[in-house]
Amino acid sequence: MCGIAGIINTDRAPVSPDILKQMADVLKHRGPDDEGFFMNRPEAEPRPKWKHVPGQGHVGLAHRRLSIIALDSGHQPIPNEDRSVWVTYNGEIYNYASIKAELTGKGHHFATDSDTEVIVHAYEEWGDACVQKFRGMFAFVLWDQRRDRIFAARDRVGIKPLYYFFEANRFVFGSEIKAILEHPDVPRKVRSESVCDYFHLMYVPGPESIFDGIHKLLPGHTLSIENGVMRIEEYWDISFARTLDLTEDEWCRRVLHKLEEAIDLRMLSDVPLGAFLSGGVDSGAVVALMAGLSEAPVKTASIGFADETFNELPYARRVAEQYNTHHHEKTVNAGSLAILDKLVWHFDEPFADSSAIPTYYVSRIAREKVTVSLSGDGGDENFAGYRRYLFDFAENRLRSLFPEWFRKTVISGLADIYPKADRLPRFLRAKTLLTNLSREPVQGYYNSMAWFQGAPDLFSPEMKNELNGYSSVCHYERYFRKSDASCPLSRIQYTDMKTYLVDDILTKVDRASMANSLEVRVPVLDHEFMELVAAMPSNLKLKKREGKYIFKKSLAGHLPHDCMYREKKGFSIPLSSWVKNDLKSVFEDTVLSKNSFCGDYLNEKAVKRLWGQHQKGQRDFAYEIWAILIFELWGRRWLW
């Protein structure tokens, strides 16, 4: 795992080596083992034929390396045989050995045993279609000297990030936004629509970022620039259109076989390797199958909390004991908030998923023992494990019972007058249900996911004017329209895979792990495994009230029954009590101060009302308050 950065000036202006070095330095945490640079020479300068001599032309590529495979020969950037194609790359291509054998048979010659070199030869042989060959996680930028062409790609699911800025003949890119901001031509201008997205979704969805002009290359997409013209094309998408008619037992066999294959591919490493273990189904499945593939005990890492309501350590220990793993764990408490400023720096954008804190700590304790860790991320999206999928399924059945005019008049009117009642028993919390029923499916699902429903006047008048009616529901509408799924469940799974999974879950894991120079691999998000599961009928994912039905059935005998069928907790922290107590002075000294950064964007009265109601115990606004605090700290760190 690595950090990449670079500058390509399409007007052929020389790249500054000092700026390129600064961009690489700020990514050192992603690659502490090595650094490398490529800068082409201006055409007017003589070029020795027998070796590459660094110049100061219009192309500069930088790399920070975390050595995982081919420890002695994986220095980047890496060229092809005649040094006409150069690449800087972040990720792992797990099937690189078979691709290398195929390319060798076609006459290509390799100077290293690294997966990186496979990229340049694959590009030579198959052009842009080379990405179709790769099975893994990756983000890379390649320069084709003969055509003076840039070609970049991001893996199918978005496990590895790639940001870019392209204006005024400057293409600046990096694994993280902070590298791009090192370039003096890149402005730090906040994008108003992204601020709106952040407060409603708790993250900033692609392809935009919080900064105007800095973009995210979407998963499953390539980018090319030739003759000053940029093209972005999609090369992969998950399809739910095809359904396989198999028995439950056959599905169990296929799911386990394909997952074991994906895990086996990801156990290739020249450095110590282990796994995260939460005590849930997904990480437990990964550890169980790893144990069957490994001759030595698997090294596992877990995080727990002193508050037993959130603590899953006992379940993790049971799995660790069953498979005799070398287990390591840590208990997180409110004192763990000391790393908050560090996380704000690592994430670059405001990011309000509070599980970033335990993810950071589980990465830190894992890094004490290993350099690579496997995780179970993606199981909920693939197998309909979130409780909200059950609620949405029920809402869609209810919605179909009422004509549209009745939903938009009678039910909508009831939703308007029904009180918001967070502290009532769940069956009495009808406001969200009534609101969702009065709307179309995509708007109903968005309403279930969006935050600040109790603060409609959140933004300042100036901010409202800039937004001019903009709504973050557009991100959901885009993927509802794009999905080829015929059933509502598959459609929201698809939408989550394109939004929440990539820009929340995978962003969190990438930044928190890379902050500790740890590589995390996610076998449940192997694209071939995902394609198999997408062909599974929805009623085998969510059966009656049980999510992950077939996945759990396939793991019978592999994991303890109560680990699989207990109430889902998620990787969350006791945020409500932390906000009321440990973060009280921090919030009051920053957000509620006279020189608050939030003051330019948020309605002061609305913020104070949220804070007051939470402190008095009238409403639970812990997540909303957390989002406001993170935005404040982010603004102070990146803009002041």
Side-chain angles (χ1 to χ4, degrees):
M1 199 58 57
C2 308
I4 64 174
I7 307 165
I8 296 96
N9 295 326
T10 58
D11 60 357
R12 308 189 74 81
V15 168
S16 164
D18 292 335
I19 295 174
L20 192 63
K21 180 67 165 62
Q22 291 167 16
M23 293 173 68
D25 287 347
V26 81
L27 296 176
K28 186 176 180 179
H29 56 282
R30 297 186 71 93
D33 298 331
D34 188 22
E35 68 174 8
F37 302 91
F38 164 77
M39 297 187 71
N40 71 318
R41 298 179 64 82
E43 294 177 358
E45 295 185 17
R47 183 186 302 276
K49 296 181 179 179
W50 60 277
K51 67 177 181 178
H52 171 71
V53 177
Q56 194 174 338
H58 67 293
V59 176
L61 306 178
H63 188 264
R64 291 290 326 191
R65 187 184 185 204
L66 177 64
S67 302
I68 304 293
I69 295 174
L71 304 184
D72 297 328
S73 63
H75 179 79
Q76 293 190 45
I78 280 182
N80 61 344
E81 301 98 325
D82 65 2
R83 301 177 179 269
S84 62
V85 178
W86 287 81
V87 72
T88 184
Y89 151 69
N90 168 30
E92 302 288 351
I93 296 173
Y94 304 117
N95 63 334
Y96 81 97
S98 61
I99 300 174
K100 180 179 178 180
E102 183 179 0
L103 289 167
T104 300
K106 292 178 178 293
H108 293 264
H109 299 283
F110 288 79
T112 74
D113 192 33
S114 74
D115 58 332
T116 310
E117 193 179 359
V118 165
I119 296 173
V120 291
H121 292 287
Y123 173 80
E124 281 186 295
E125 185 66 33
W126 298 298
D128 295 4
C130 65
V131 292
Q132 300 287 355
K133 293 278 188 176
F134 304 149
R135 186 176 180 181
M137 55 182 184
F138 54 84
F140 66 80
V141 176
L142 173 153
W143 181 58
D144 182 339
Q145 177 180 287
R146 292 192 184 96
R147 298 171 61 179
D148 193 16
R149 180 177 190 257
I150 302 159
F151 178 68
R154 190 177 179 194
D155 66 68
R156 294 167 178 82
V157 191
I159 303 167
K160 290 293 99 186
L162 184 59
Y163 297 87
Y164 67 91
F165 172 89
F166 183 44
E167 289 183 12
N169 300 309
R170 303 287 179 269
F171 180 72
V172 187
F173 68 89
S175 294
E176 297 178 10
I177 291 175
K178 61 177 61 68
I180 297 174
L181 293 177
E182 289 294 314
H183 197 292
D185 289 349
V186 178
R188 299 193 183 197
K189 180 183 177 184
V190 175
R191 182 175 179 269
S192 297
E193 294 85 352
S194 294
V195 174
C196 178
D197 291 339
Y198 165 73
F199 278 107
H200 286 111
L201 301 176
M202 299 292 187
Y203 58 87
V204 180
E208 306 302 333
S209 79
I210 194 67
F211 293 106
D212 195 15
I214 299 180
H215 309 277
K216 303 164 185 173
L217 183 61
L218 289 175
H221 282 68
T222 62
L223 177 154
S224 62
I225 301 178
E226 192 168 9
N227 298 321
V229 178
M230 181 173 72
R231 293 183 60 186
I232 295 177
E233 298 181 340
E234 186 176 49
Y235 70 88
W236 182 86
D237 196 11
I238 187 76
S239 173
F240 289 85
R242 182 177 67 104
T243 301
L244 294 178
D245 185 17
L246 304 174
T247 66
E248 289 189 8
D249 288 342
E250 182 61 25
W251 270 116
C252 288
R253 286 192 291 271
R254 287 203 183 191
V255 165
L256 275 188
H257 172 74
K258 200 65 179 178
L259 182 57
E260 185 176 61
E261 176 186 283
I263 290 172
D264 191 32
L265 282 171
R266 284 157 181 79
M267 291 179 69
L268 175 65
S269 176
D270 294 331
V271 294
L273 177 144
F276 293 158
L277 181 57
S278 69
V281 177
D282 307 327
S283 65
V286 171
V287 169
L289 295 181
M290 283 180 72
L293 292 166
S294 177
E295 296 181 359
V298 178
K299 296 181 175 66
T300 54
S302 300
I303 285 291
F305 299 93
D307 186 338
E308 289 301 317
T309 306
F310 297 85
N311 189 39
E312 297 188 290
L313 282 181
Y315 297 101
R317 289 174 194 144
R318 289 192 60 187
V319 177
E321 290 169 1
Q322 179 174 338
Y323 290 100
N324 193 31
T325 72
H326 286 169
H327 190 58
H328 308 275
E329 60 185 45
K330 177 182 177 65
T331 298
V332 176
N333 53 40
S336 303
L337 292 169
I339 52 109
L340 203 51
D341 286 331
K342 175 183 284 191
L343 288 181
V344 168
W345 183 83
H346 277 290
F347 277 82
D348 295 341
E349 298 181 283
F351 183 83
D353 186 339
S354 60
S355 64
I357 292 173
T359 304
Y360 173 87
Y361 281 109
V362 76
S363 298
R364 191 162 83 175
I365 66 168
R367 187 63 175 91
E368 293 172 0
K369 306 295 179 181
V370 301
T371 311
V372 177
S373 188
L374 273 63
S375 83
D377 292 299
D380 289 311
E381 289 79 7
N382 273 318
F383 292 100
Y386 294 123
R387 293 286 291 172
R388 62 177 181 262
Y389 292 163
L390 174 61
F391 299 148
D392 188 80
F393 177 79
E395 285 173 7
N396 278 308
R397 293 188 66 176
L398 284 172
R399 190 181 284 110
S400 67
L401 299 177
F402 304 105
E404 183 178 358
W405 70 266
F406 186 84
R407 291 190 294 105
K408 291 190 175 181
T409 55
V410 178
I411 296 180
S412 178
L414 289 173
D416 290 340
I417 64 175
Y418 201 95
K420 184 74 173 174
D422 298 334
R423 298 188 180 278
L424 287 178
R426 182 178 293 278
F427 71 92
L428 292 177
R429 301 182 207 170
K431 188 175 185 68
T432 298
L433 173 61
L434 292 170
T435 302
N436 291 355
L437 291 178
S438 70
R439 300 176 179 180
E440 294 307 305
V442 60
Q443 296 163 337
Y445 186 61
Y446 169 77
N447 185 58
S448 296
M449 295 290 287
W451 293 86
F452 287 93
Q453 300 298 323
D457 56 348
L458 173 69
F459 297 117
S460 67
E462 295 79 12
M463 181 69 175
K464 284 183 178 179
N465 288 336
E466 288 192 27
L467 291 174
N468 193 28
Y470 172 83
S471 172
S472 301
V473 72
C474 64
H475 298 287
Y476 284 62
E477 291 173 338
R478 170 187 179 184
Y479 291 114
F480 259 63
R481 290 193 301 268
K482 190 172 185 293
S483 172
D484 62 7
S486 58
C487 79
L489 176 59
S490 297
R491 194 156 49 240
I492 62 173
Q493 284 182 275
Y494 178 85
T495 301
D496 274 355
M497 289 175 181
K498 299 295 183 177
T499 54
Y500 178 73
L501 175 65
V502 59
D503 289 316
D504 187 313
I505 302 298
L506 293 177
T507 296
K508 172 189 68 180
V509 174
D510 176 80
R511 300 305 187 280
S513 60
M514 285 284 89
N516 292 283
S517 302
L518 176 77
E519 174 176 302
V520 174
R521 300 175 178 177
V522 280
V524 180
L525 294 179
D526 176 269
H527 80 275
E528 292 189 8
F529 181 73
M530 293 181 70
E531 288 170 347
L532 171 67
V533 177
M536 181 186 296
S538 292
N539 62 0
L540 295 183
K541 299 171 186 175
L542 180 61
K543 188 166 186 177
K544 296 181 179 178
R545 297 181 61 85
E546 191 65 50
K548 299 183 182 176
Y549 169 76
I550 209 71
F551 195 36
K552 292 175 181 176
K553 184 175 180 179
S554 70
L555 292 167
H558 291 273
L559 294 175
H561 184 273
D562 58 344
C563 287
M564 291 195 291
Y565 292 97
R566 62 189 172 87
E567 183 180 354
K568 182 178 178 62
K569 292 184 178 180
F571 204 38
S572 56
I573 66 174
L575 191 60
S576 184
S577 63
W578 288 9
V579 165
K580 187 174 289 187
N581 301 298
D582 302 273
L583 287 172
K584 185 175 187 293
S585 61
V586 177
F587 191 88
E588 291 176 343
D589 292 344
T590 56
V591 176
L592 301 183
S593 67
K594 292 183 179 179
N595 62 337
S596 168
F597 170 78
C598 287
D600 292 335
Y601 299 90
L602 304 183
N603 182 331
E604 181 181 353
K605 291 182 180 179
V607 172
K608 287 183 176 179
R609 183 171 64 251
L610 289 173
W611 177 250
Q613 289 180 353
H614 184 83
Q615 292 301 315
K616 293 175 183 177
Q618 297 171 344
R619 295 281 299 275
D620 186 354
F621 283 124
Y623 288 95
E624 290 87 344
I625 290 168
W626 175 262
I628 293 170
L629 176 61
I630 293 297
F631 187 69
E632 177 73 30
L633 297 178
W634 171 81
R636 289 170 179 257
R637 175 61 184 82
W638 287 104
L639 295 173
W640 280 9

